Amino acid sequence: MTAADTKSDTMTGAPIPRREAARLVAGKGHYTDDIDVAGLLHVAFLRSPYPHARIDRIDVAAAQDMPGVVAVLTAADLARVCAPWQTKLALLPSHVSPLQSPLADGEACWQGEAVVAVVAATRALAEDAAERVTIEWSELPAIPDMTSAAAPGAPPVNSAMANNLGLDHAITTGDPDAAFRDAAVVVEHDFSFDRQTGVTLEPRVILAEFDPRLGQLTVHHSHQVPHQMRDVFAAQLKLPLAKVRVVTPDVGGAFGLKIAAYPDEMAVAAIAVLLGRPVKFCADRLESFISDNHAREATVKGRMAVDAEGKLLAMDLSVVSGFGAYSAYPRGSVGEALQAVMMAAAPYRMKSLRGRVRGYFQNKPPSGVLRAVGQPIATTVTEQLLDLAAQKLNLDPAEIRRRNYIDAAAVAARSAGGVVLSELSLERCHDRLLKLMDYDALRRDQQSLRKAGVYRGVGLAAFIEQTAVGPQLYGPQNVRASAQETCRLTLEPDGSLTCASSITDQGQGTRTALTQIVADELGVDIDTVQITTGDTQSTPFGGGAWASRGAALGGEAALRAARRLKQSVLTIAASLLQAETSALRLSGGVISNTAGLPQMTIADIAATASFKAHLVPLGELPPLEITESFAPRELPYVAANGIQAAYVEVDPELGTIRVLGFWVVDDCGRVINPLLVDEQIRGGVVQGIGAALYEQCIYSTDGQLENGSLADYLVPMAGEMPDIFIAHMETPTSATTLGARGVGEAGTVGAAAALWTAVNDALAPFGAVMTVQPFTPERVLDRIALAGTPPHDL
């Protein structure tokens, strides 16, 4: 037997004959000799129908004998090549997730957890065979909701856990007790946010191929962070990092959903290593609902103290968050809950804050990252409490906000939650918004229409968006997630430019923005710049796409590389022309002198340096390939800011809500591409509309998802999208040379909050206040009925 006929068991180092790899695993695998060995295989997963159950016995014999089946694999099979993992956060030692494997090992902890992988020549054949697998189950108590998970003596969500508490964290700043004692007005409100999922246009997809001769794993992946996943695959499959390549081409949407290491995707990579064959899995829409990470499930009890002038004194928040069955790997599931407290009142002057955050594991899919991570919750709670305080003080909602904006226009400041703020434009955004929407006219129309029995509401939401997050977030937690972004910029021999960036693109248009930055700085046509992203073999190391970093950090790295390359080009040109570098200009791909006379082209420089370097009268040729990395050092992130407004109409007889208009004024620093920026904001707003009015994962009391299809899980479509008017303040950040802040999450941070305040403003004549998101017609009617107050003028 030759080396080409074998491959190594990556856990033990023992060689496994390639043709026998599948059937040697506990006698369960099956390999069919009449299948093309080199052909692409497909995986279908048999998933748990129970939210919590013990796996007593798995019989795969009938599935093995189905046509086209190559292997039928369980957790024990994949354990030979893939180690289990566990999410841990160094600064939160109490947050420890159970060990997790690619396939459920002895116990399924949510409806939809993958238990058996069937590998076949086609997806259809794999699905047919999966139906022939027999599993004997013993149902265990299911804990789907946070109240049940927190109950004393509650059964554990996972038998490896002592209890279901996954996080208990408290923060206090200032003197909240004194602030509430001395306040002129104290308001309080309960908030509930239903569980959502990302519903990306392109579902999760992975194609993994392992070459046993080279020991090389290549993974094509619909993902946001290829370098992170390269590290994860190498660690769990015990492969050298140099032997793992991850390719993430243009990805059809991600929203944070594609930032985690999913167990079924780890299974696909493990199967490729085990079989030595290319293997593909694409989550169909139905299984996406029960296997994709969820987010946003939380309840908040909030209180706010203000003085007689409407000045904000303190907030007191109690947040309970649902984590699902496991903490998402490797970044954890705590971000939503922690941000809900830390980002509270971030745009405002407030000295005191008390917050307690608790998170509980549940028999549901894990919760993870979704666009803006906790910031929409913090903004909603803050803005709704502000409106309640304004109502008690008989202040206009716009005025109470104006009186409280934090002064961070010139010098850095910190919010009560510790958010670092610098060079903001909150008051300017506020004034621009009121003019843009004609606030006073809308208020007059609102009052006149109420007399005619038409109930409209105006809602405002000021916001801070955390962007361009640096190494201070994950580094101290010992989470292996890079915060730097890198650009490698090369002047090719023909005068074209190749820009390889660690940034990835899921529809944001980041590649276009980087192209513009490079072309503008070097003074060349945009068509001469080629961008390469999303391939760990051909792009430099970096973070990828998360926390609105594409232009802010990736663009900064590209700008720095372009400036250095420009200096190299002009230095070579100056030596050839016997001129001073400062006397030359580069524009339109042409190098000119101070008189504006063309001297040579950038292509001339490239050709001379590449093929006739002996003609360059320099002791050392300046580099024409530049690599620059950047991560913020002085600040943990770069804060952006803005304000949003919604105008809605509520039908008190039907409970329906129409969004009549929406306005955003945003300050994301230097705007590189106005069209891309505006559409990112509009997309975020629509996602916020979905959260506030439509989207919810509905679970039965025994943990079964009841609306796991797009026929039942509602998302806003064209008919639900209002006109969204956008304006900008441009305050370049001094934290970077480029001056750009992030913008990808801005729309989502404030949109739901603006709708909360608008809908409750419309319901004010009834004395009703919404408490549960989304605002379904049934919930609107219930709140009106509960208030029991006939409409009255305010």
Side-chain angles (χ1 to χ4, degrees):
M1 184 178 295
T2 67
D5 294 323
T6 66
K7 65 189 187 70
S8 295
D9 179 333
T10 59
M11 298 296 290
T12 65
I16 303 174
R18 187 179 183 192
R19 303 286 293 181
E20 300 295 322
R23 72 165 66 104
L24 285 180
V25 186
K28 296 177 183 178
H30 177 76
Y31 197 97
T32 304
D33 289 341
D34 59 358
I35 298 296
D36 177 14
V37 174
L40 175 66
L41 301 177
H42 296 262
V43 180
F45 291 100
L46 180 62
R47 299 181 181 274
S48 172
Y50 301 103
H52 196 196
R54 185 173 62 249
I55 303 168
D56 295 326
R57 179 174 171 271
I58 302 176
D59 185 351
V60 302
Q64 287 174 345
D65 293 333
M66 292 287 287
V69 172
V70 174
V72 183
L73 304 167
T74 65
D77 302 331
L78 298 189
R80 292 194 63 175
V81 295
C82 185
W85 58 89
Q86 187 175 35
T87 303
K88 293 182 179 181
L89 302 173
L91 300 183
L92 297 168
S94 64
H95 180 68
V96 179
S97 180
L99 279 172
Q100 193 171 8
S101 301
L103 299 174
D105 189 3
E107 181 180 10
C109 294
W110 84 84
Q111 177 213 5
E113 185 173 7
V115 179
V116 177
V118 180
V119 188
T122 68
R123 172 67 179 253
L125 291 173
E127 289 180 348
D128 289 345
E131 294 180 357
R132 302 296 298 274
V133 174
T134 300
I135 301 179
E136 294 180 6
W137 303 90
S138 293
E139 281 196 69
L140 298 172
I143 308 295
D145 62 88
M146 296 181 293
T147 302
S148 300
V157 164
N158 186 304
S159 60
M161 296 160 39
N163 58 61
N164 300 317
L165 183 64
L167 176 69
D168 193 345
H169 182 72
I171 65 169
T172 300
T173 59
D175 190 347
D177 290 331
F180 278 97
R181 183 184 64 243
D182 299 336
V185 168
V186 173
V187 292
E188 57 184 73
H189 195 61
D190 292 342
F191 302 81
S192 182
F193 302 88
D194 278 0
R195 180 173 274 241
Q196 299 174 236
T197 187
V199 198
T200 54
L201 185 63
E202 175 189 62
R204 292 187 297 110
V205 186
I206 181 171
L207 192 159
E209 180 177 8
F210 184 73
D211 187 336
R213 297 167 298 173
L214 302 176
Q216 175 78 40
L217 175 68
T218 301
V219 179
H220 288 77
H221 206 179
S222 180
H223 213 274
Q224 298 173 231
V225 283
H227 286 281
Q228 170 195 289
M229 291 311 301
R230 180 186 184 220
D231 186 71
V232 170
F233 287 132
Q236 300 312 126
L237 298 171
K238 304 300 181 184
L239 296 171
L241 191 64
K243 293 293 187 178
V244 179
R245 176 189 181 191
V246 177
V247 183
T248 60
D250 283 344
V251 172
F255 310 129
L257 183 149
K258 297 175 182 176
I259 205 170
Y262 283 86
D264 50 13
E265 295 175 355
M266 295 298 298
V268 172
I271 291 168
V273 172
L274 189 64
L275 300 183
R277 300 278 300 277
V279 182
K280 177 182 178 181
F281 166 67
C282 175
D284 65 34
R285 190 62 69 185
L286 296 178
E287 67 183 328
S288 291
F289 276 105
I290 56 174
S291 61
D292 291 355
N293 284 348
H294 293 177
R296 297 282 196 267
E297 184 177 9
T299 61
V300 182
K301 292 183 177 294
R303 292 197 304 150
M304 177 180 284
V306 298
D307 68 15
E309 299 299 317
K311 299 294 181 63
L312 183 51
L313 302 176
M315 289 181 69
D316 188 349
L317 302 174
S318 175
V319 178
V320 179
S321 182
F323 290 164
Y326 296 90
S327 186
Y329 188 77
R331 301 176 188 231
S333 297
V334 302
E336 196 90 65
L338 292 174
Q339 290 277 78
V341 170
M342 294 174 62
M343 294 295 293
Y348 302 113
R349 293 187 303 274
M350 184 179 75
K351 293 184 178 180
S352 300
L353 173 67
R354 178 165 50 222
R356 184 184 181 190
V357 179
R358 285 164 292 169
Y360 291 93
F361 291 104
Q362 317 147 277
N363 292 118
K364 288 180 178 177
S367 65
V369 171
L370 183 61
R371 198 173 192 172
V373 194
Q375 296 174 81
I377 295 176
T379 305
T380 295
V381 171
T382 302
E383 298 301 304
Q384 184 59 69
L385 288 173
L386 265 179
D387 268 18
L388 295 176
Q391 188 174 344
K392 277 198 170 186
L393 290 168
N394 198 28
L395 279 175
D396 183 86
E399 179 59 26
I400 197 171
R401 286 164 174 80
R402 187 193 302 276
R403 294 183 184 186
N404 282 287
Y405 288 130
I406 195 167
D407 183 13
V411 296
R414 280 184 181 269
S415 73
V419 179
V420 179
L421 305 168
S422 179
E423 300 167 310
L424 303 184
S425 58
L426 287 161
E427 291 189 19
R428 288 188 291 131
C429 288
H430 180 103
D431 292 339
R432 182 73 179 92
L433 179 83
L434 299 189
K435 183 177 180 180
L436 181 68
M437 66 187 292
D438 199 349
Y439 180 80
D440 291 337
L442 288 182
R443 286 297 188 193
R444 289 193 298 269
D445 290 345
Q446 178 190 38
Q447 292 303 318
S448 63
L449 287 169
R450 279 181 178 173
K451 296 174 183 177
V454 177
Y455 299 96
R456 292 185 175 180
V458 179
L460 302 175
F463 66 91
I464 298 293
E465 179 195 4
Q466 283 187 349
T467 81
V469 174
Q472 296 93 328
L473 177 61
Y474 289 119
Q477 299 284 10
N478 289 340
V479 173
R480 293 169 66 88
S482 175
Q484 73 183 37
E485 299 304 341
T486 307
C487 173
R488 184 174 63 246
L489 186 60
T490 306
L491 177 62
E492 303 291 357
D494 65 352
S496 64
L497 293 151
T498 300
C499 175
S501 174
S502 59
I503 286 294
T504 59
D505 199 321
Q506 296 81 43
Q508 304 96 318
T510 309
R511 292 162 57 96
T512 300
L514 296 186
T515 303
Q516 288 181 257
I517 291 167
V518 170
D520 181 71
E521 182 62 29
L522 283 167
V524 300
D525 191 283
I526 196 169
D527 292 335
T528 66
V529 182
Q530 299 299 315
I531 297 288
T532 300
T533 62
D535 185 343
T536 61
Q537 189 173 78
S538 59
T539 63
F541 181 77
W546 56 277
S548 299
R549 62 199 303 104
L553 299 187
E556 177 70 10
L559 177 63
R560 293 184 177 205
R563 288 190 172 181
R564 284 183 56 198
L565 182 58
K566 182 179 182 178
Q567 186 61 39
S568 292
V569 168
L570 292 178
T571 299
I572 294 172
S575 70
L576 293 170
L577 297 171
Q578 297 299 297
E580 294 294 328
T581 303
S582 59
L584 300 178
R585 301 290 182 269
L586 178 54
S587 178
V590 176
I591 299 167
S592 305
N593 60 19
T594 52
L597 298 176
Q599 302 296 302
M600 55 179 37
T601 67
I602 194 171
D604 295 332
I605 297 295
T608 300
S610 297
F611 305 116
K612 297 182 179 181
H614 65 284
L615 298 178
V616 181
L618 291 171
E620 184 175 339
L621 196 68
L624 296 180
E625 181 169 276
I626 306 293
T627 299
E628 280 280 352
S629 295
F630 181 76
R633 298 290 180 183
E634 295 182 5
L635 298 173
Y637 40 77
V638 178
N641 69 264
I643 185 169
Q644 303 185 23
Y647 189 44
V648 304
E649 182 176 313
V650 178
D651 187 325
E653 295 183 354
L654 299 177
T656 55
I657 299 167
R658 282 199 304 145
V659 184
L660 304 174
F662 207 98
W663 298 264
V664 181
V665 178
D666 181 75
D667 190 340
C668 61
R670 182 182 175 188
V671 176
I672 306 302
N673 186 310
L675 182 60
L676 288 176
V677 167
D678 284 359
E679 298 316 309
Q680 277 290 292
I681 292 173
R682 286 192 174 96
V685 167
V686 172
Q687 236 171 344
I689 292 172
L693 303 183
Y694 302 108
E695 296 186 48
Q696 57 177 332
C697 295
I698 302 173
Y699 277 85
S700 65
T701 55
D702 58 355
Q704 295 285 338
L705 181 63
E706 296 183 332
N707 65 330
S709 77
L710 285 175
D712 301 303
Y713 182 98
L714 302 182
V715 295
M717 297 188 291
E720 288 79 45
M721 297 179 193
D723 288 334
I724 302 170
F725 303 94
I726 298 171
H728 296 279
M729 297 289 116
E730 287 196 51
T731 308
T733 174
S734 61
T736 66
T737 309
L738 182 63
R741 309 168 194 258
V743 74
E745 295 164 301
T748 308
V749 173
L755 287 165
W756 270 74
T757 54
V759 170
N760 284 327
D761 184 47
L763 293 175
F766 299 89
V769 185
M770 298 300 296
T771 61
V772 181
Q773 175 182 296
F775 300 159
T776 63
E778 295 84 357
R779 288 172 174 171
V780 172
L781 294 176
D782 286 346
R783 295 305 296 181
I784 292 174
L786 184 63
T789 303
H792 58 279
D793 293 332
L794 293 179

